[in-house]
Amino acid sequence: MEQEAGEEPGLGRSTAPKDFHFYHMDLYDSEDRLQLFPGESSRIRREVTQAEDDHELGDEFVDEHRLGTLGYPSYGMRRKDSARDQRGWGLSSEAAEAEDLGYGGQGLPGQCQDLREAYRYTHGRASEEYECYVIPEEEDEEEPADVFCVTCKTPVRTVEKDFEIHKEHEVTPLNKALESAKDEIHKNMFKLEQQIIEMENFASHLEEVFITVEENFGRQEQNFESHYNEILETLAQKYEEKIQALGEKKKEKLESLYGQLVTCGENLDACRELMETIEEMCHQEKVEFLKDAVAMTDRLGKFLKTKTDVELSAQPEFEDQTLDFSDVEQLMDSINTIPAPSAPVINPQAPNSATGSSVRVCWSLYSDDTVESYQLSYRPVRDSSPGKGQAEFTMTVKETYCSVTNLEPNTQYEFWVIAQNRTGPSPSSEHAVYMTAPSPPTIISEATRSCEEAALICWESGNLNPVDSYTVELIQAETPEASGVTESVVGIPTCESLIQLQPGHSYTIYVRALNVGGTSARSEPATVHTTGSYFQLNKDSCHPWLTISEDGFTVVRGEKKTFRRELPPTKTQFTRCVAVIGNLIPVRGRHYWEVEVDERLDYTIGVACEDVPKQEDLGANCLSWCMRHTFASTRHQYEFLHNRTTPDIRITVAPKKIGILLDYENSKLSFFNVDIAQHLYTFSCQLHQFVHPCFSLEKPGSLKICNGISMPKHVTFF
């Protein structure tokens, strides 16, 4: 904001140079700042820039001669030097003022006086917060980059590509480079997603292996602990039995020895008593001795006759107590012997677990089984009779799943599995039937028909066994194939499908077959255009005298052939009328095609129902609407026949190309001379059923059909 010096707040009233403007420090670099000297702003700006450069190079003052030439005092164009303001040079106030004004104490007295007053006004009376500045002009904003340097891989401006640094480099529009970078990022993201999927699958596989190893070792630990506890119990039982047996034998021997010891003591006492009695008898008188001796002799004789057992009843030697640890040894051996596993349980087939040549088979087992490997066996199932006369295949795997390859597509296989460890094999699991995915179907291009709004796609299954359903995938030709499928039609039970499409596009068609095992690979592609009605001739309806070209769009009648006998009537083939019909798509709407004819040729063209009588001429019944041309000498005759009737119409210009418009919506069939855009005739007909193009040649010649083309303007607005 610009104010007079006398109106600035806090400055008071004083005399200041006329037209002298002051700016608060807060206004520096403001978007609303004003030029100090409007008349000479550009010149002063250049001088100020040079003055600032001189100041940065170390000059203490701005050249006063440079500013003097402008007619302005220098104080308006120098920056405040706070460091110099604080230096103590000891100059007088007037000298300091003159020096700050840029004259260094020299100049005219009057001029110095004026400058001194201005200096005192800005430095003395005004606050130090205010300073005079020449505000530099803002630089123009830099133009944004609009091209991309492929060599340097950086955005640049168009003007920079002619400089030396980018002169020989390859450049491209920025939008194109942006799209290219996005496409590259999308491709890398797709690759990264694929890598993530592979890593996730590998991690899942590692997790399954980890769980299997953990379960096996856990079962081994449980078996070892169980056997160890069983051995301890057996040893404790053995110890108790041996201790009890030793105690009983000890008691028996001690009791026997003790009884023998008691008997021996009794005998010893009896002997001692007899000895003492005999000694006493020896000291008696003869008469008494003789009396007692007779009795003692009898007693001693009886005692000596008694047999004394002086042999030990129990030997003191200890028997060698041999311990039988055979059962313990068996238990010890059984620690390293695990039981044979139980029969595994094979799982039913999971959806989408098969391809055309492989299946993924999974099974499980009881948690307390220890398994070292599995034997997976399989054989094909033929004629719903599994296991009869079929070759068997066996493979050994470590995990509880296996991908079996090199199989036939859309075929059932019978699988069973046996678990094994070093003890032996398990019983076989139950048998399970798995099925491979189908083979890719084959699109029949000759049977494919289309119009502006739909297409009828026909294909062959390509599989011996029936499939569950089919899927048709469509990709617009204008859409990059990498972006994916535009539309999919699923659950198709038969080998053909009528698909609604957008007019004026080209589509790439793929077909897949599905069964319980999974989805087949894509078929070979077929291209469909919705720029017009596209059809081919029905060879099954063709009269024997007619020939259809390889491309299916030209009908030729050669020289007349004769038959030994008349052809039998049929419902599909023309036998009397030399004609053929086309296979038009069964869609109600507007269909247009053209026929190239020879002016001298006798022909009949139009439409007919599929069940039109094949023994009658075209136009001779209520199921056909036709234009007939006959040529005699120089005269052309045209008839528009339906049920043997024709209107009286004269055509002056013989058409060489005839356009035919079939309009279901308005119940009309129109004929046009294409070369001159002339309308020839229109049938008003009630079409209760679908009709097809028909063509007849009464003399040798040819007709060329042009279809799959857009309707001309004169037909569109008809």
Side-chain angles (χ1 to χ4, degrees), residues 20-307:
F20 191 82
H21 304 283
F22 296 90
Y23 298 91
H24 193 278
M25 287 292 289
D26 292 341
L27 296 178
Y28 188 70
D29 287 339
S30 171
E31 296 180 357
D32 300 330
R33 58 177 173 265
L34 302 177
Q35 295 181 357
L36 184 63
F37 305 108
E40 298 287 340
S41 61
S42 60
R43 295 176 56 193
I44 294 175
R45 191 178 298 110
R46 289 194 297 269
E47 296 297 334
V48 170
T49 304
Q50 182 64 37
E52 291 178 350
D53 293 339
D54 294 340
H55 181 70
E56 292 176 357
L57 294 174
D59 295 338
E60 295 181 356
F61 303 101
V62 179
D63 187 0
E64 69 254 24
H65 300 291
R66 189 186 306 156
L67 300 176
T69 59
L70 301 175
Y72 295 102
S74 62
Y75 57 78
M77 289 161 289
R78 56 181 300 275
R79 295 178 296 181
K80 183 177 180 180
D81 191 348
S82 59
R84 191 184 64 178
D85 292 343
Q86 296 178 0
R87 65 178 181 260
W89 284 355
L91 299 177
S92 64
S93 61
E94 293 182 359
E97 293 172 5
E99 182 181 3
D100 283 342
L101 292 174
Y103 288 91
Q106 301 179 0
L108 297 176
Q111 190 177 13
C112 292
Q113 181 65 26
D114 294 337
L115 295 175
R116 187 177 297 111
E117 290 178 1
Y119 180 86
R120 288 176 178 175
Y121 179 78
T122 57
H123 288 73
R125 294 188 181 96
S127 171
E128 291 184 359
E129 295 180 357
Y130 299 88
E131 190 68 48
C132 296
Y133 287 90
V134 175
I135 302 173
E137 182 181 357
E138 287 187 350
E139 296 182 358
D140 294 335
E141 294 184 359
E142 185 178 354
E143 296 181 3
D146 53 358
V147 294
F148 183 80
C149 179
V150 180
T151 306
C152 299
K153 297 188 181 302
T154 180
V156 296
R157 294 180 295 171
T158 305
V159 295
E160 294 180 357
K161 73 176 183 179
D162 297 329
F163 292 168
E164 184 175 350
I165 187 172
H166 301 290
K167 190 172 183 180
E168 302 296 333
H169 293 178
E170 180 185 357
V171 296
T172 183
L174 194 62
N175 293 336
K176 185 177 180 181
L178 180 61
E179 294 297 328
S180 177
K182 288 182 178 179
D183 292 341
E184 187 67 23
I185 290 176
H186 287 318
K187 291 180 181 178
N188 293 333
M189 289 179 63
F190 178 76
K191 293 179 181 178
L192 184 60
E193 290 177 356
Q194 296 297 323
Q195 187 174 359
I196 290 174
I197 293 174
E198 292 179 0
M199 294 301 296
E200 287 178 348
N201 293 336
F202 180 68
S204 177
H205 173 66
L206 285 180
E207 184 178 359
E208 291 178 354
V209 174
F210 179 86
I211 293 174
T212 302
V213 171
E214 184 181 21
E215 290 178 351
N216 285 338
F217 276 97
R219 287 192 291 270
Q220 290 183 5
E221 290 175 358
Q222 293 177 358
N223 291 334
F224 181 80
E225 183 179 0
S226 174
H227 284 82
Y228 177 75
N229 293 333
E230 187 176 357
I231 290 173
L232 291 181
E233 293 177 359
T234 302
L235 288 175
Q237 184 178 357
K238 291 278 185 183
Y239 173 78
E240 294 293 338
E241 291 176 355
K242 290 297 181 182
I243 291 297
Q244 183 177 0
L246 289 175
E248 292 177 354
K249 287 185 177 182
K250 173 184 175 181
K251 180 180 179 182
E252 180 182 356
K253 283 194 173 188
L254 290 179
E255 288 179 352
S256 175
L257 291 174
Y258 180 76
Q260 192 174 12
L261 180 61
V262 171
T263 303
C264 182
E266 292 177 351
N267 291 336
L268 184 59
D269 292 340
C271 290
R272 287 177 179 174
E273 182 183 357
L274 289 174
M275 288 295 294
E276 291 177 358
T277 304
I278 292 172
E279 287 180 358
E280 291 178 358
M281 287 176 57
C282 290
H283 291 89
Q284 291 180 359
E285 293 295 334
K286 293 181 181 181
V287 178
E288 294 179 0
F289 175 76
L290 289 174
K291 292 180 181 181
D292 295 333
V294 175
M296 183 57 66
T297 301
D298 295 336
R299 181 180 176 186
L300 185 60
K302 292 179 180 180
F303 179 78
L304 293 175
K305 288 179 180 180
T306 303
K307 187 177 180 181

Side-chain angles (χ1 to χ4, degrees), residues 637-654:
Q637 181 180 357
Y638 294 93
E639 297 175 290
F640 294 92
L641 296 169
H642 174 64
N643 207 13
R644 297 184 181 273
T645 61
T646 178
D648 185 12
I649 295 178
R650 303 292 176 89
I651 297 176
T652 58
V653 179

